[in-house]
Amino acid sequence: MKVMVDRTRCNGTGICEITAPAVFEIDDDGALRIITEEVSPDQHEAVKTAIQNCPTQALSIMD
Ligand code: SF4
């Protein structure tokens, strides 16, 4: 599973970082950094929750 961010939608709220800190990180400039695009199986549920909770629907997955 691969996770992608639409940077035209992301506003840097960081909800995804709270939900899945092993995958998402807000850097010092307030921009979202995806730590690992290829999501390990133990992170799948956290990433799916982050996608559902993203207020701007900026995240998507590709199986
Ligand atoms: S929750 Fe959505 S809008 Fe907020 S930082 Fe993550 S991807 Fe961006």
Side-chain angles (χ1 to χ4, degrees):
M1 180 173 120
K2 190 173 178 179
V3 63
M4 292 167 294
V5 59
D6 180 344
R7 294 195 180 277
T8 66
R9 288 176 173 261
C10 177
N11 62 11
T13 54
I15 294 169
C16 54
E17 181 185 38
I18 295 168
T19 308
V23 178
F24 304 106
E25 180 181 67
I26 302 297
D27 68 18
D28 292 341
D29 296 328
L32 174 63
R33 184 172 82 88
I34 296 182
I35 299 168
T36 171
E37 284 188 352
E38 202 62 52
V39 180
S40 60
D42 65 313
Q43 293 295 316
H44 282 189
E45 284 308 312
V47 168
K48 287 177 182 174
T49 300
I51 291 169
Q52 289 170 359
N53 291 343
C54 174
T56 62
Q57 299 169 334
L59 297 171
S60 59
I61 51 174
M62 197 165 64
D63 286 320

